């Protein structure tokens, strides 16, 4: 037990030297430390921006955010592109008191819809979510905003879970599988520790998923928001995170904000026609723009494989022996 106490004290003293207010606790059944960041007296306003696709998914998403989120300064925004059917329009009208709907009938890409909503947002923090997520706890946004309070953190991702509570997303690795991968996917339960404890410890991956991505509004504006030219539907989240890195910001990830992500069967189905051409173009530009990161993600151990998401040793080695 004295080792746990000494470990906790070391973190507490480090935070005190940095002048940061936080509570340090030892995670149950481990020697890991959790930092609960203190929110300022006047917490930053958060604009939750939802990308709508399905009426049934949207209902579950916005109601879980509205009912479960205890964060004091919150607004929920979404864009109506003119494609909503009458049942969805009725759903939105019933929630008009606390849901802001922006009408824009232009043919907008996913990235463009997010940018349009961001311009209308009043928050100091933008939290982008897809409509297939469901909030699990009332403190998720406290953990996200608290992590953003750490100096140098520009955006934050969360632990995304499949409905059976297996891990779907705990940060991206650039270059995995030839594009971008999510280590730990399918292989670990919600309560699992993961490789070297990464599923229970806050850390800084190179990028996180825009299925739930919170970013400082000033940092988002400084880098020009999501790319509407090159990454219209895929890799827009990765591109934003890497451009934030270029501007001097880090990407954070917190395991203490957990959300379920439901995906329809067609979400991962066969892609052909114009969509296939667009995705191929996005992949080629990903390699062109971020080739250095694709070859050597600085947030991923160079002794681990990029061939798949198993977080296993690379063979043959990716680096020559000294």
């Amino acid at each position: 037990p004295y080792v746990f106490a000494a470990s906790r004290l070391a973190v507490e003293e480090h935070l005190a030297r940095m002048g940061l207010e936080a509570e340090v606790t030892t995670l149950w059944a481990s020697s890991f430390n959790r930092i609960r960041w203190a929110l300022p007296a006047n917490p930053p306003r958060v604009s939750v921006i939802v990308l709508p696709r399905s009426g049934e998914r949207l209902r579950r998403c916005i109601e879980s955010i509205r009912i479960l989120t205890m964060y004091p300064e919150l607004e929920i925004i979404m864009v109506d592109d003119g494609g909503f059917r009458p049942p969805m329009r009725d759903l939105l009208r019933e929630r008009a008191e606390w849901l802001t709907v922006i009408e824009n009938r232009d043919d907008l890409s996913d990235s463009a819809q997010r940018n349009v909503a961001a311009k209308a947002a009043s928050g100091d923090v933008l939290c982008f979510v897809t409509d297939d997520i469901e909030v699990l706890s009332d403190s998720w946004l406290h953990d996200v905003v608290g992590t953003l309070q750490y100096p140098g953190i520009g955006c934050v991702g969360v632990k995304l879970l499949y409905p059976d509570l297996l891990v779907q997303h705990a940060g991206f690795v650039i270059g995995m599988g030839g594009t971008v991968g999510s280590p730990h996917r399918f292989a670990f339960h919600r309560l699992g520790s993961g490789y070297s404890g990464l599923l229970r410890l806050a850390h800084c991956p190179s990028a996180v998923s825009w299925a739930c991505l919170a970013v400082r509004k000033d940092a988002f504006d400084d880098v020009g928001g999501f790319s509407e030219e090159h990454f219209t539907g895929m890799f827009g989240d990765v591109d934003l995170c890497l451009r934030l890195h270029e501007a001097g910001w880090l990407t954070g990830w917190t395991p203490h904000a957990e959300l379920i992500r439901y995906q329809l069967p067609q979400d991962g189905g066969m892609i052909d026609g114009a969509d296939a051409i667009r995705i191929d173009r996005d992949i080629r530009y990903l390699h062109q723009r971020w080739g250095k990161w694709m070859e050597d993600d600085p947030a991923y151990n160079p002794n681990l494989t990029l061939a798949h998401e198993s977080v296993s040793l690379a063979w043959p080695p990716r680096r020559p022996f000294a």
Side-chain angles (χ1 to χ4, degrees):
Y2 74 89
V3 176
F4 298 169
S7 168
R8 189 168 59 250
L9 180 61
V11 177
E12 291 172 343
E13 291 177 343
H14 167 71
L15 295 174
R17 286 192 296 270
M18 295 187 68
L20 298 174
E21 292 187 28
E23 176 190 6
V24 182
T25 58
T26 302
L27 292 177
W28 177 80
S30 76
S31 60
F32 300 146
N33 292 306
R34 174 182 179 179
I35 299 175
R36 298 177 185 268
W37 301 104
L39 295 178
N42 296 310
R45 184 169 177 80
V46 177
S47 300
V48 176
I49 295 171
V50 184
L51 188 71
R53 283 292 175 268
S54 160
E56 198 53 42
R57 296 197 306 189
L58 180 65
R59 181 195 302 273
R60 179 174 54 214
C61 171
I62 61 177
E63 289 187 351
S64 73
I65 294 172
R66 173 70 175 175
I67 294 170
L68 287 179
T69 305
M70 301 302 293
Y71 190 82
E73 288 291 328
L74 177 69
E75 67 174 352
I76 305 175
I77 303 174
M78 56 177 290
V79 175
D80 176 3
D81 62 1
F84 295 165
R85 295 181 178 179
M88 184 180 284
R89 294 193 179 281
D90 293 341
L91 181 152
L92 299 179
R93 277 195 294 268
E94 293 168 1
R95 291 153 180 79
E97 182 179 345
W98 50 267
L99 177 65
T100 301
V101 178
I102 302 165
E103 292 192 9
N104 189 312
R105 301 306 174 94
D106 297 335
D107 185 15
L108 300 176
S109 66
D110 291 353
S111 293
Q113 282 198 46
R114 290 178 170 96
N115 287 341
V116 167
K119 290 177 182 176
S122 63
D124 304 302
V125 173
L126 306 176
C127 184
F128 298 94
V129 301
T130 49
D131 69 354
D132 55 0
I133 65 101
E134 180 181 2
V135 173
L136 285 181
S137 70
D138 59 7
S139 63
W140 74 279
L141 201 51
H142 283 77
D143 285 306
V144 168
V145 176
T147 304
L148 273 177
Q149 303 305 303
Y150 189 80
I153 299 292
C155 65
V156 173
V158 305
K159 182 189 289 184
L160 297 175
L161 305 167
Y162 288 106
D164 61 1
L165 300 186
L166 289 179
V167 172
Q168 184 198 69
H169 176 78
F172 285 133
V173 170
I174 316 303
M176 183 168 281
T179 54
V180 175
S182 293
H184 301 102
R185 194 162 66 103
F186 294 119
F188 290 88
H189 188 266
R190 170 189 184 185
L191 300 179
S193 294
Y195 178 79
S196 293
L198 284 180
L199 290 181
R200 299 190 70 186
L201 297 169
H203 61 278
C204 290
S206 290
V208 291
S209 171
W210 61 9
C212 184
L213 183 157
V215 58
R216 296 173 183 265
K217 178 68 159 57
D218 55 352
F220 182 81
D221 290 340
D222 284 346
V223 301
F226 292 108
S227 172
E228 298 181 24
E229 179 182 0
H230 296 294
F231 298 106
T232 55
M234 284 189 70
F235 311 123
D237 41 13
V238 174
D239 177 69
L240 176 71
C241 292
L242 297 187
R243 283 188 286 117
L244 286 169
H245 276 277
E246 284 188 333
W249 296 98
L250 292 173
T251 297
W253 180 83
T254 173
H256 309 299
E258 298 178 317
L259 291 85
I260 291 179
R261 188 180 185 193
Y262 300 87
Q263 288 184 303
L264 295 175
Q266 58 265 34
D267 290 343
M270 184 67 68
I271 300 172
D272 53 18
D275 287 339
I277 294 173
R278 175 180 53 79
I279 290 172
D280 180 67
R281 183 192 63 216
D282 288 350
I283 292 174
R284 283 188 281 109
Y285 188 76
L286 181 71
H287 283 264
Q288 177 186 335
R289 177 68 174 86
W290 301 112
K292 180 180 178 181
W293 292 77
M294 299 285 289
E295 296 172 3
D296 188 13
D297 185 333
Y300 187 63
N301 191 322
N303 297 299
L304 300 179
T305 183
L306 289 175
H308 40 74
E309 298 170 324
S310 64
V311 203
S312 56
L313 290 174
W315 189 260
R318 293 167 50 207
R319 294 275 182 87
F321 292 110

